[in-house]
């Protein structure tokens, strides 16, 4: 088994060099080419469609136009950032970019799968690359017509999704030859939930697939206390009316809140999709087993902690699409890194490996139909993938 070695450190050092080597041109202007900095676009036209952030501001995105052979190819990436599942939480989000486009940075750097460096991202560097800000708190599933006059909260995530995709179609995506709907964490969930909707809007001749990074949230079936994700999902259904955006084939058989877990709706997705995830995902470990993440980092590895993580790993792997049903339509890269989302990091995209394949190599082979890809790592405990010179387990 090959894991991140010298190249991981090199990539990390290179990333730091790039971040520290900013070129300033004419005062406040930065070199977009060198830094991968991309300007924000506020989609004012979406307001008339009721497609707005939590505070009523227009949705927004960062767009780097494709060129050369990539001019008719598109990657749409949805940013993550948990959810708001009660009124107070949603109000707090309106004070940040997670609830208002007014507070989003004017520029952002693109790295990993969105990077514009041909050497580091040879397959996608010249595509039309879009990063959508996450300001609705519902993984782009909310659709409530009424606006509370007291709080002025708008629960319109689903409308935001549709308005943005319609805009991208108008500015060129309607002629796409290749397209990827992607996202990380809470932003990767809509890449699965909206995957077939996205496919239906694009030309039949286009190669269209979806990519979810750190978004395979597991439903823990046997816990004494109510798990965090169950509370979140119940809140989304109640507050954002998210059930309308979920597969009816799932909601007709079980509680709508369960149909926000990929394990319960993945079989309904007709469009090919790819999962990038750690079997020891830090977000899920933090929320499911409070205190255990700190124990891991402090190398306080009790027998209880070891068994808990091993049981979590087995339950997570059992929930994934079955290998016999995968073929080329279900791809996956499941590593053992103690990490959350990975594909926007240059180190994660090009450094972490499973069976001698980086995420970049594995996804590219799968996306371009070069080979089926279902890569699953084998360690029993999470790995410190930034450790040098060799990869070590947190609990040995």
């Amino acid at each position: 088994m090959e894991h991140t070695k010298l190249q991981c450190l090199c990539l990390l050092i290179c990333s730091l060099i790039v971040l520290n080597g900013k070129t300033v041109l004419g005062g406040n202007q930065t070199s977009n080419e060198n830094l991968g900095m991309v300007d924000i676009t506020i989609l004012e036209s979406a307001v008339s469609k009721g497609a707005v952030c939590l505070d009523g501001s227009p949705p927004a995105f960062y767009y780097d136009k494709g060129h050369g052979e990539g001019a008719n190819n598109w990657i749409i990436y949805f940013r993550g950032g948990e959810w708001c599942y009660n009124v107070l939480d949603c109000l707090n989000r309106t004070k940040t970019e997670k609830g208002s486009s007014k507070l989003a940075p004017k520029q952002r750097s693109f790295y990993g799968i969105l990077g514009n460096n041909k050497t580091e991202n040879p397959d996608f560097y010249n595509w039309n690359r879009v990063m959508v800000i996450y300001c609705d708190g519902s993984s782009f599933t909310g659709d409530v017509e009424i606006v509370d006059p007291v709080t002025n909260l708008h629960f319109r995530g689903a409308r935001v999704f549709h308005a943005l995709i319609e805009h991208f179609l108008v500015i060129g995506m309607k002629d796409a030859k290749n397209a990827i709907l992607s996202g990380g964490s809470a932003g990767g969930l809509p890449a699965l939930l909206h995957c077939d909707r996205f496919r239906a809007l694009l030309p039949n001749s286009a190669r269209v697939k979806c990519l979810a990074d750190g978004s395979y949230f597991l439903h823990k079936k046997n816990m004494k206390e109510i798990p965090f994700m169950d509370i979140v999902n119940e809140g989304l259904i109640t507050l954002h009316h998210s059930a309308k955006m979920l597969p009816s084939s799932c909601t007709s058989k079980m509680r709508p809140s369960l149909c926000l877990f990929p394990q319960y709706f993945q079989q309904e997705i007709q469009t090919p999709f790819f999962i990038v995830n750690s079997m020891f995902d830090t977000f899920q470990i933090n929320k499911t087993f409070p205190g255990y993440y700190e124990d891991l980092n402090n190398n306080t590895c009790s027998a209880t902690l070891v068994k808990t993580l091993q049981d979590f790993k087995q339950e997570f792997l059992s929930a994934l699409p079955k290998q016999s049903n995968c073929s080329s339509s279900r791809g996956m890269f499941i590593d053992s890194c103690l990490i959350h989302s990975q594909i926007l990091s240059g180190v994660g995209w090009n450094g972490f490996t499973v069976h001698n394949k980086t995420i970049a190599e594995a996804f590219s082979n799968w996306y371009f139909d070069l080979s089926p890809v279902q890569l699953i790592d084998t360690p029993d405990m999470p790995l410190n993938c930034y450790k040098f010179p060799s990869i070590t387990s947190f609990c040995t």
Side-chain angles (χ1 to χ4, degrees), residues 46-65:
V47 176
S48 63
K49 302 174 183 177
V52 293
C53 301
L54 285 168
D55 70 337
S57 60
F61 58 91
Y62 305 86
Y63 171 45
D64 201 4
K65 188 175 178 60

Side-chain angles (χ1 to χ4, degrees), residues 58-79:
F61 58 91
Y62 305 86
Y63 171 45
D64 201 4
K65 188 175 178 60
H67 57 90
E69 294 182 356
N72 289 323
N73 300 331
W74 289 74
I75 299 177
I76 311 297
Y77 180 92
F78 288 89
R79 289 179 57 82

Side-chain angles (χ1 to χ4, degrees), residues 171-236:
I171 65 174
M173 196 170 68
K174 68 180 184 303
D175 299 317
K177 295 180 180 178
N178 295 284
I180 299 168
L181 182 66
S182 66
S185 190
L189 194 56
L192 296 175
L193 287 168
H194 294 311
C195 188
D196 287 339
R197 294 185 181 96
F198 182 69
R199 161 72 273 187
L201 295 171
L202 290 160
N204 292 332
S205 59
R207 179 191 284 112
V208 181
K209 300 184 181 183
C210 302
L211 168 61
D213 176 24
S215 310
Y216 202 91
F217 302 105
L218 178 66
H219 178 228
K220 290 285 295 176
K221 300 177 183 178
N222 300 310
M223 291 188 71
K224 294 179 182 179
E225 64 275 14
I226 299 177
F228 172 75
M229 286 303 303
D230 288 66
I231 298 173
V232 168
N233 290 356
E234 289 288 354
L236 295 184

Side-chain angles (χ1 to χ4, degrees), residues 292 301-311 380-381 395-396:
Y292 279 18
C301 299
S302 65
T304 300
L305 171 59
V306 170
K307 184 178 187 308
T308 296
L309 292 180
Q310 289 177 345
D311 288 347
D380 289 330
M381 294 302 296
C395 291
T396 54

Side-chain angles (χ1 to χ4, degrees), residues 168-308:
F168 302 142
L169 289 168
V170 169
I171 65 174
M173 196 170 68
K174 68 180 184 303
D175 299 317
K177 295 180 180 178
N178 295 284
I180 299 168
L181 182 66
S182 66
S185 190
L189 194 56
L192 296 175
L193 287 168
H194 294 311
C195 188
D196 287 339
R197 294 185 181 96
F198 182 69
R199 161 72 273 187
L201 295 171
L202 290 160
N204 292 332
S205 59
R207 179 191 284 112
V208 181
K209 300 184 181 183
C210 302
L211 168 61
D213 176 24
S215 310
Y216 202 91
F217 302 105
L218 178 66
H219 178 228
K220 290 285 295 176
K221 300 177 183 178
N222 300 310
M223 291 188 71
K224 294 179 182 179
E225 64 275 14
I226 299 177
F228 172 75
M229 286 303 303
D230 288 66
I231 298 173
V232 168
N233 290 356
E234 289 288 354
L236 295 184
I237 296 299
T238 302
L239 190 61
H240 294 264
H241 296 188
S242 298
K244 292 184 286 186
M245 301 306 297
L246 306 180
S248 58
S249 56
C250 180
T251 56
S252 64
K253 295 182 291 187
M254 57 183 70
R255 297 197 317 272
S257 60
L258 291 177
C259 297
L260 281 159
F261 289 105
Q263 68 203 80
Y264 296 128
F265 69 81
Q266 62 190 5
Q267 66 274 13
E268 311 298 337
I269 303 173
Q270 301 300 309
T271 307
F273 67 86
F274 194 96
I275 297 167
V276 174
N277 227 99
S278 170
M279 62 183 73
F280 299 109
D281 180 89
T282 52
F283 175 81
Q284 297 191 61
I285 289 175
N286 265 325
K287 297 298 185 180
T288 308
F289 312 109
Y292 279 18
Y293 180 64
E294 288 76 11
D295 288 346
L296 273 171
N297 279 325
N298 294 327
N299 285 323
T300 308
C301 299
S302 65
T304 300
L305 171 59
V306 170
K307 184 178 187 308
T308 296

Side-chain angles (χ1 to χ4, degrees), residues 54 83-93 136-137 151 153 155 228 231-232 234-240:
L54 285 168
W83 307 266
C84 66
Y85 47 96
N86 60 59
V87 170
L88 180 60
D89 196 17
C90 291
L91 279 173
N92 287 335
R93 287 175 78 100
D136 71 280
T151 64
L153 286 172
F155 303 111
F228 172 75
I231 298 173
V232 168
E234 289 288 354
L236 295 184
I237 296 299
T238 302
L239 190 61
H240 294 264

Side-chain angles (χ1 to χ4, degrees), residues 11-29:
L11 286 166
L12 180 59
I13 293 172
C14 290
S15 297
L16 292 174
I17 291 172
V18 169
L19 288 173
N20 288 316
K22 294 183 179 179
T23 303
V24 179
L25 305 175
N28 294 325
Q29 184 180 1

